[in-house]
Amino acid sequence: MTTTHLVYLNGDFVPADEAKISIFDAAVMLGDMVTESTRTFAHRPFKLEQHIDRLYKSLKVTRINPGLTPAEMTELSLRVLDVNLPNVAPEMDVWLVHNISRGLSVAGADPTIQRSPATVIIHTAPMVLTDWARFYTEGCHAVTPFSRAVPPEALDPRIKNRSRMAYTLAEMEVKLIDPQAQGILLDIYGNVAENKGGNFFIVSEGVLKTPPTRNALAGISRATVLELAEQLRIPAQIVDFQPYDIYTADEAFFTSTPYCIMPATRFNGLSVGDGAVGPLTKALLQAWSALVGVDVVAQAQSQLRVMSDKVT
């Protein structure tokens, strides 16, 4: 059994507090890094193959050579989990995170040249769900910032990358309205795009709707919801919609790796539907829990209770 959190870094397993990269790494100099985040359920990685596949699509488009095949990356990822999971409580799950940069960056005329082997980082982190736990039953407040999503003509959102300044600034605008609000970015035409770290759905007259991936990351959680909807015989559409359609929807929710499905019961100050978590959202949450063998709502809320007990 290991006694410390180990990180895979460029060919070695090192203690987390010793895992360091150069200040001249492309990730630091240029934000030139692609990323993936998988989570476990009952200590088993969920859809790791799909995450690795998406990672390698991002690597191909960004022309970063990781020096590893997808099979080798998968094997290393499972090894990182194996060495760290013995130190994780049975009721706790973890992130499995991949960060891969172009390597060392030298200031000059051509930033595209890969001047060293890629920097490859794989690590785990506790899956802390307390920030989202109460939203499963209360729903969150969804708010649109005045900043718009980066147009796909500038940067395709399907490239999952660590250059997050645009998302962070937009989220700051959202928090000015409500410190607990969750942002919904619109594109330059006023269509709903995505959240800073996830996708968005509405339910209107029994039909589940989510935007196309032209303006949003092709989310694996998004795809899972569409699969579950098909199993539950909930009609679904991939279609553009605008704020008006959220105001007048019956239900709304976000999807993302950590929380899976996060209900939204208010939008820009107005109630969505009757202001309660809707029946289709609840059905999809139950179906997700059945799929992974973990009650995702109970897991998050148990963490919140533990935190509350510590405070009192």
Side-chain angles (χ1 to χ4, degrees):
M1 180 180 293
T2 60
T3 57
T4 184
H5 177 204
L6 295 180
V7 172
Y8 175 85
L9 174 61
N10 294 340
D12 296 313
F13 283 81
V14 298
D17 59 359
E18 297 176 19
K20 298 176 174 62
I21 64 172
S22 169
I23 63 169
F24 302 110
D25 195 274
V28 178
M29 298 287 285
L30 300 170
D32 185 4
M33 173 177 272
V34 299
T35 187
E36 273 297 325
S37 294
T38 309
R39 68 157 289 175
T40 64
F41 290 100
H43 292 191
R44 296 185 299 272
F46 181 62
K47 294 193 172 182
L48 178 59
E49 181 179 348
Q50 288 93 321
H51 281 280
I52 295 294
D53 178 68
R54 187 171 66 180
L55 174 66
Y56 273 78
K57 287 177 179 176
S58 295
L59 289 166
K60 180 178 182 179
V61 177
T62 56
R63 297 168 173 82
I64 297 174
N65 176 12
L68 297 163
T69 67
E72 291 169 335
M73 187 72 74
T74 301
E75 180 184 2
L76 278 171
S77 304
L78 294 173
R79 286 177 59 195
V80 171
L81 272 178
D82 286 343
V83 299
N84 287 305
L85 280 176
N87 299 308
V88 179
E91 69 278 5
M92 178 66 73
D93 276 296
V94 298
W95 296 89
L96 176 62
V97 180
H98 298 78
N99 288 317
I100 303 175
S101 85
R102 204 174 303 277
L104 293 180
S105 176
V106 177
D110 190 350
T112 68
I113 298 173
Q114 189 162 331
R115 301 177 186 274
S116 72
T119 299
V120 179
I121 306 165
I122 310 173
H123 71 91
T124 61
M127 181 58 61
V128 179
L129 300 165
T130 51
D131 284 348
W132 301 294
R134 66 184 182 87
F135 296 143
Y136 288 110
T137 51
E138 298 176 16
C140 71
H141 184 194
V143 169
T144 49
F146 52 80
S147 292
R148 296 299 174 97
V150 176
E153 293 83 359
L155 178 64
D156 196 308
R158 290 172 292 183
I159 302 169
K160 191 170 175 64
N161 65 86
R162 281 295 185 198
S163 305
R164 312 302 287 179
M165 182 64 78
Y167 294 94
T168 301
L169 292 177
E171 198 67 8
M172 287 179 178
E173 296 164 8
V174 167
K175 303 304 188 193
L176 291 173
I177 304 301
D178 179 348
Q180 299 300 314
Q182 307 296 305
I184 302 176
L185 287 158
L186 306 180
D187 70 13
I188 58 174
Y189 303 106
N191 297 312
V192 172
E194 60 182 349
N195 171 255
K196 63 178 175 58
N199 297 104
F200 191 70
F201 287 77
I202 59 172
V203 176
S204 184
E205 297 181 354
V207 178
L208 187 66
K209 299 179 182 181
T210 193
T213 55
R214 178 182 67 253
N215 290 315
L217 180 71
I220 291 169
S221 299
R222 170 183 179 273
T224 301
V225 164
L226 292 172
E227 292 163 7
L228 293 173
E230 184 175 7
Q231 294 173 18
L232 296 173
R233 298 186 178 180
I234 300 171
Q237 296 177 355
I238 297 173
V239 61
D240 284 326
F241 57 85
Q242 298 187 328
Y244 175 90
D245 301 292
I246 306 175
Y247 287 124
T248 58
D250 301 310
E251 305 178 37
F253 58 85
F254 296 89
T255 60
S256 190
T257 292
Y259 52 74
C260 310
I261 295 172
M262 179 172 61
T265 51
R266 283 195 298 153
F267 176 59
N268 288 342
L270 296 180
S271 295
V272 175
D274 63 4
V277 179
L280 292 189
T281 303
K282 290 179 180 177
L284 288 164
L285 269 167
Q286 291 171 355
W288 193 305
S289 296
L291 173 67
V292 299
V294 172
D295 187 326
V296 296
V297 176
Q299 184 183 52
Q301 293 182 339
S302 68
Q303 291 185 13
L304 195 61
R305 285 194 296 273
V306 169
M307 186 179 71
S308 176
D309 290 343
K310 288 180 178 179
V311 171
T312 57

